[in-house]
Amino acid sequence: MPGPGALAGNLNSRSATILRELVEHYLETGGPVGSRTLAHRLPMGLSPATVRNIMADLTEAGFLFSPHTSAGRLPTEKGLRLFVDGMLQFGSLTESERESIATSLEARGRSLEDTLAEASTMLSGLSQAASLVFAPKADGTVRHIEFVALGGNRALVILVGSDGQVENRVIETPAGMPPSTLSEAANYLNARLAGRTLAELRTQVDQEMAADQTALDQLATAVVASGLATWSDEGRGGGTLIIRGQGHLLTDVTEIERLSTIQMLFERLEKQDAMLRLLELAEDSDGVRIFIGAESGLFGVSGMSMVVAPARNESNRIVGAIGVIGPTRINYGRIIPVIDYTARIIGQILG
């Protein structure tokens, strides 16, 4: 990301200072600011008239605009981009904050989906925005499947890939299922793995069950079907997408027409092509990326920003993506280091 020096070719120092102060006021309050208020905030002694003239120049250059309800100015998406790229001061996480994030994401004794859900909830709480955590399904071949009873109507599915990676998921089991059913289901699946991917295994099992329902009793059939559905990976876009904190966006909406835009955004997020696009955005970046308005091409929504980072494993391979979506006045300086560190932890967990 360019440093402050990158501004030299765009604005002189006075214009850059005024733009920075105006954007910071907007991020704090969400409202427009006039020349008199801005003059009081500035470190240099400029009159409101001088500030007003510079703001007019910034408006003509496309960095500011005047909303119809006020004589003050707000930053445009172009102005926000200039601020983010060259003026933003990033915060840093304390050691206790890093430890808190790592501890909350500790995966021991928890399914992967629960861990991702915890990451999403944590990001939403810290950023006061809607959070996204996406982990694509593994598409490698399977070496072993096991079912372990957890009590009640739940069972843990343990999936071991041919590369040695292990993934755990919790499924619902039929009421009244005897303990032997889990081992029957595991034996049935393991006898048919033979280096297949889960998608290939599911196709074969579906065909066998359709042809001969007596191959397994009804309970074992339900367990097999549930276990396979858990990891169904129909192409690269398939995976787990967890969204938390949608209410944070609604509390920041001041215009009723924005509600339909917010609803459209979340409906789009639930679709597979949006998940794939999110992963592609992460793959194109070595670190955290900020998209303002329609820049990402993902939603085509103005007035919103997305901050996204790739989760990479020890081999530097992309294993997921995390981020937040919120209004353009989200706290970028605070959110960016949180997302960056959380992405590293998620990368380690996903391996």
Side-chain angles (χ1 to χ4, degrees):
M1 186 172 290
L7 294 173
N10 299 284
L11 302 176
N12 60 42
S13 61
R14 290 202 307 182
S15 296
T17 299
I18 288 175
L19 178 61
R20 182 179 62 247
E21 289 294 330
L22 187 145
V23 172
E24 289 180 349
H25 180 278
Y26 165 70
L27 296 180
E28 292 170 8
T29 68
V33 59
S35 57
R36 186 173 298 278
T37 300
L38 199 54
H40 289 308
R41 289 176 58 103
L42 294 171
M44 74 274 283
L46 295 179
S47 67
T50 300
V51 172
R52 186 160 51 250
N53 289 335
I54 295 175
M55 290 172 66
D57 292 339
L58 289 170
T59 301
E60 186 176 352
F63 296 114
L64 305 178
F65 76 98
S66 178
H68 64 277
T69 56
S70 170
R73 296 291 192 275
L74 288 171
T76 62
E77 291 182 359
K78 179 181 177 181
L80 283 170
R81 169 52 62 190
L82 186 59
F83 172 83
V84 166
D85 285 349
M87 305 177 187
L88 181 61
Q89 298 296 314
F90 300 106
S92 59
L93 299 180
T94 65
E95 188 60 36
S96 62
E97 288 174 325
R98 289 171 179 263
E99 183 177 346
S100 175
I101 291 174
T103 300
S104 68
L105 298 181
E106 176 61 54
R108 185 178 305 145
R110 217 168 32 180
S111 70
L112 176 60
E113 188 163 348
D114 287 342
T115 300
L116 297 179
E118 177 63 29
S120 185
T121 299
M122 181 195 67
L123 279 178
S124 175
L126 291 175
S127 65
Q128 291 298 293
S131 63
L132 308 170
V133 178
F134 172 49
K137 296 296 187 204
D139 56 3
T141 56
V142 183
R143 189 170 70 196
H144 187 74
I145 291 178
E146 197 68 48
F147 297 93
V148 179
L150 296 178
N153 295 329
R154 298 193 310 158
L156 176 68
V157 185
I158 304 172
L159 173 71
V160 183
S162 297
D163 58 359
Q165 293 191 24
V166 179
E167 185 175 355
N168 299 327
R169 291 295 179 91
V170 176
I171 64 171
E172 296 294 324
T173 58
M177 184 188 69
S180 60
T181 300
L182 291 176
S183 58
E184 284 182 46
N187 290 337
Y188 177 86
L189 291 174
N190 287 317
R192 288 159 176 78
L193 288 178
R196 291 183 171 88
T197 65
L198 281 174
E200 293 168 344
L201 178 60
R202 183 179 184 180
T203 298
Q204 178 182 345
V205 170
D206 285 345
Q207 292 172 348
E208 289 187 13
M209 288 182 176
D212 186 4
Q213 284 288 345
T214 63
L216 288 173
D217 62 31
Q218 290 297 103
L219 291 179
T221 299
V223 172
V224 169
S226 297
L228 288 177
T230 301
W231 290 294
S232 175
D233 52 352
E234 305 298 334
R236 183 184 172 197
T240 300
L241 176 66
I242 298 174
I243 307 171
R244 291 288 188 275
Q246 300 183 29
H248 290 314
L249 290 185
L250 298 180
T251 60
D252 200 76
V253 173
T254 56
E255 301 176 15
I256 193 64
E257 56 264 29
R258 292 274 305 281
L259 289 174
S260 60
T261 299
I262 297 292
Q263 185 61 38
M264 178 275 294
L265 186 153
F266 284 109
E267 289 176 355
R268 178 69 185 275
L269 278 174
E270 296 292 349
K271 297 182 179 178
Q272 193 178 75
D273 61 336
M275 289 193 283
L276 178 58
R277 178 60 180 152
L278 179 63
L279 188 60
E280 289 174 342
L281 291 172
E283 287 179 335
D284 291 338
S285 173
D286 290 330
V288 179
R289 293 190 67 186
I290 303 170
F291 299 94
I292 298 172
E295 287 179 349
S296 70
L298 183 59
F299 309 116
V301 177
S302 61
M304 306 294 292
S305 290
M306 179 172 69
V307 184
V308 63
R312 299 178 182 269
N313 62 12
E314 294 180 354
S315 302
N316 205 38
R317 183 172 64 88
I318 297 283
V319 291
I322 71 170
V324 299
I325 292 178
T328 53
R329 57 179 292 260
I330 58 179
N331 189 341
Y332 300 98
R334 170 61 176 166
I335 290 172
I336 289 172
V338 171
I339 289 179
D340 183 48
Y341 186 72
T342 304
R344 296 181 197 177
I345 299 297
I346 292 295
Q348 294 172 8
I349 292 173
L350 297 181

